[in-house]
Amino acid sequence: MNPPPTAKRVSRLSDEITLQLERWITEQQLSSGTQLPTEKVLCERFGVSRAVIREAISRLKADGCVTTRQGSGAFVAARPGQGSFRLVRGLEHSPPILSDEMSDIFELRYLVETGAAERAALRRTAKDLDRMRDVLGRMQDALAAQADAVGDDDAFHVAIAAATHNSQIERFQAFMGGQFSDSRAPTWSSDGHRSGRAREAQAEHVRIFEAISRGNAGAARRAAEAHLVSAARRLGLDPLRWGGDKTESTR
Amino acid sequence: MNPPPTAKRVSRLSDEITLQLERWITEQQLSSGTQLPTEKVLCERFGVSRAVIREAISRLKADGCVTTRQGSGAFVAARPGQGSFRLVRGLEHSPPILSDEMSDIFELRYLVETGAAERAALRRTAKDLDRMRDVLGRMQDALAAQADAVGDDDAFHVAIAAATHNSQIERFQAFMGGQFSDSRAPTWSSDGHRSGRAREAQAEHVRIFEAISRGNAGAARRAAEAHLVSAARRLGLDPLRWGGDKTESTR
DNA sequence: TCCGAAATGTTGTCAGACAACAGTTTTGAG
DNA sequence: CTCAAAACTGTTGTCTGACAACATTTCGGA
């Protein structure tokens, strides 16, 4: 039983089928509620066992693309893509994120995070400030010890988002932060310490914290804007096109 | 017709196991990279067959919680929750979205969408404007015919996001829009037409479009802000706490 | 000691079967 | 003939067993 030379055996068979199924659904422009082929039919069409088909459908279910009803069949969900949002397209698109893509993601983060800082300044409690102070202190220690503080950097931004008391914003910030963990590494690397990138980032953090602590929403937003623009520059991105604040009219 | 309110819906063993596994991982605070028990062990622990366990793990994989390596085992992913972002927690949390939750989601949407409108005004092309005009025209027709235009309403907001030429923002807007399809129904219902909600919404849409068309970023943002605040009011939410615009110093 | 091959363990895939459920058709009582 | 119950068919959900592909460990020989 030699499988057709379609697959190069580079990865899991179920991954391949998942991708093909997803593509097939979107290409066919299947409207919500349409029933898709039975598992048996799909088995024959793709030439795989039912386990693989079920695995693929299971993932689409988790993605929110399809729903299944026992005894009835599988159907396209209300909105394809509803239920969850993923930044990087595809299933295993990990290694190379293009600079344009990264820039786009960063801009989305910019929109949310600046607004979050603004709102955090208005709603933060003493507890929120304590949490931020803690993380800030840990980063200060790391700065003195020239150590790595990527995790704390992430935690600081999440702490800001948490101070909005909007759990959705907090979760989104945590989600976005996770995507940027790798990107923050250069700032806290030994080279980052030497070149002053770490100190620079920390100074920006302090400025955001102080604005939020004072309850000055406008200042908090501007400090967050400045920090994100600097962070983008440290990553080699071009934040000019974001032009949300100062460079607005010049275009 | 449609019998969804099956309250006794205890079935779907795999759903139960998925939930328990997810809960177990988060509760144990398993750090990234930790290996979780083998499928065989999990089978015995939960008293189910391997198929169910595999189904559950498959979903967690789709969620980005865990990764698997053939011949090695399953491991907690780099960041739990990385890979995809879902607004409503849980797998089958569809029917009742609490008002607070809804309000939080709406605020997140507010942050992204107002920024998107601002940027759309700066970057829109003639083609973008054509697309928006098309959708706007369809909504105008629906208004005259007292018809439903929820889909077009959604499409209009996506068209704005598309005009930013930032694919991540566009995709996020499409994602968020899908979550609100149901919520927009009252506006375009027969009652919505009668009470003037539809006409009101349409007027706000036109105002946003004109600002974007003129390339006036500030006006576009303010128009989007006004529209979202009105939309929230139409949904019975309280947009006061967002306080992003009027209470702001930079105006 | 060092290296390679065998042994063991784990996930991935296959195959078949039955259970639970939904929809349709047939049957039987009135 | 009417209509409801029963039988039938088709689909997804779950179980079981087996083997393949891959990773890690163990162990024996040079």
Side-chain angles (χ1 to χ4, degrees), chain A residues 151-163:
Chain A
D152 291 322
D153 194 334
D154 195 2
F156 178 69
H157 291 268
V158 174
I160 293 176

Side-chain angles (χ1 to χ4, degrees), chain A residues 57-67 77 79 81-87 166-176 179, chain B residues 15 18-19 22 56 58-65 80-94 97 101 104-105 108 172 175-176 179:
Chain A
I57 288 184
S58 159
R59 291 197 202 170
L60 296 182
K61 254 196 301 186
D63 271 6
C65 284
V66 307
T67 58
R79 294 248 173 217
Q82 186 187 24
S84 75
F85 173 73
R86 61 180 66 243
L87 284 172
N166 179 326
S167 60
Q168 303 299 334
I169 290 180
E170 178 182 353
R171 290 182 53 247
F172 187 75
Q173 178 62 45
F175 165 65
M176 293 288 278
Q179 309 292 110
Chain B
D15 283 358
T18 305
L19 211 59
E22 187 178 11
S58 157
R59 291 197 201 169
L60 296 181
K61 256 196 300 186
D63 271 7
C65 284
Q82 187 186 24
S84 75
F85 173 73
R86 64 177 64 244
L87 284 170
V88 280
R89 266 219 178 286
L91 287 91
E92 300 290 329
H93 194 284
S94 31
I97 297 188
E101 245 178 357
D104 282 354
I105 297 175
L108 176 56
F172 187 74
F175 165 64
M176 294 287 279
Q179 308 292 108

Side-chain angles (χ1 to χ4, degrees), chain A residues 111 221, chain B residues 111 114-115 117-119 211 216-226:
Chain A
L111 295 185
R221 169 181 276 274
Chain B
L111 294 185
T114 54
E118 185 177 8
R119 281 151 181 79
N216 188 331
R221 170 181 276 273
R222 284 189 292 276
E225 284 171 354

Side-chain angles (χ1 to χ4, degrees), chain A residues 38-51:
Chain A
T38 70
E39 294 179 351
K40 196 157 95 173
V41 172
L42 292 174
C43 288
E44 293 162 0
R45 181 175 304 176
F46 290 110
V48 297
S49 83
R50 208 179 142 211

Side-chain angles (χ1 to χ4, degrees), chain B residues 6-81:
Chain B
T6 46
K8 303 175 63 175
R9 208 71 182 113
V10 206
S11 67
R12 293 271 190 2
L13 192 52
S14 51
D15 283 358
E16 183 62 24
I17 301 299
T18 305
L19 211 59
Q20 287 195 31
L21 250 182
E22 187 178 11
R23 201 174 298 160
W24 183 76
I25 290 177
T26 58
E27 274 178 3
Q28 297 284 324
Q29 287 277 39
L30 297 187
S31 57
S32 65
T34 353
Q35 182 168 9
L36 35 91
T38 70
E39 295 179 350
K40 195 157 89 173
V41 172
L42 291 174
C43 288
E44 292 162 359
R45 180 176 305 178
F46 290 110
V48 297
S49 82
R50 207 180 141 211
V52 174
I53 294 294
R54 284 191 60 79
E55 170 111 10
I57 289 184
S58 157
R59 291 197 201 169
L60 296 181
K61 256 196 300 186
D63 271 7
C65 284
V66 306
T67 59
T68 61
R69 285 207 303 272
Q70 181 175 353
S72 185
F75 305 84
V76 179
R79 294 255 172 209

Side-chain angles (χ1 to χ4, degrees), chain A residues 112-233:
Chain A
V112 174
E113 202 159 341
T114 54
E118 184 178 8
R119 281 152 183 77
L122 297 173
R123 303 176 198 158
R124 87 283 182 279
T125 64
K127 211 168 173 180
D128 295 326
L129 291 177
D130 286 343
R131 180 175 168 187
M132 293 168 61
R133 222 187 320 264
D134 273 358
V135 183
L136 217 50
R138 281 207 298 275
M139 276 194 285
Q140 199 68 43
D141 295 344
L143 193 63
Q146 306 235 340
D148 181 35
V150 168
D152 291 322
D153 194 334
D154 195 2
F156 178 69
H157 291 268
V158 174
I160 293 176
T164 66
H165 296 272
N166 179 326
S167 60
Q168 303 299 334
I169 290 180
E170 178 182 353
R171 290 182 53 247
F172 187 75
Q173 178 62 45
F175 165 65
M176 293 288 278
Q179 309 292 110
F180 281 97
S181 286
D182 298 342
S183 319
R184 265 199 290 273
T187 297
W188 294 97
S189 66
S190 57
D191 187 63
H193 282 287
R194 216 176 304 117
S195 67
R197 282 199 297 268
R199 185 179 309 277
E200 187 182 305
Q202 177 68 356
E204 292 161 10
H205 288 153
V206 170
R207 240 168 270 138
I208 298 175
F209 169 74
E210 286 175 348
I212 292 178
S213 180
R214 290 199 312 272
N216 188 331
R221 169 181 276 274
R222 284 189 292 275
E225 284 171 354
H227 174 52
L228 287 172
V229 168
S230 298
R233 288 228 177 80

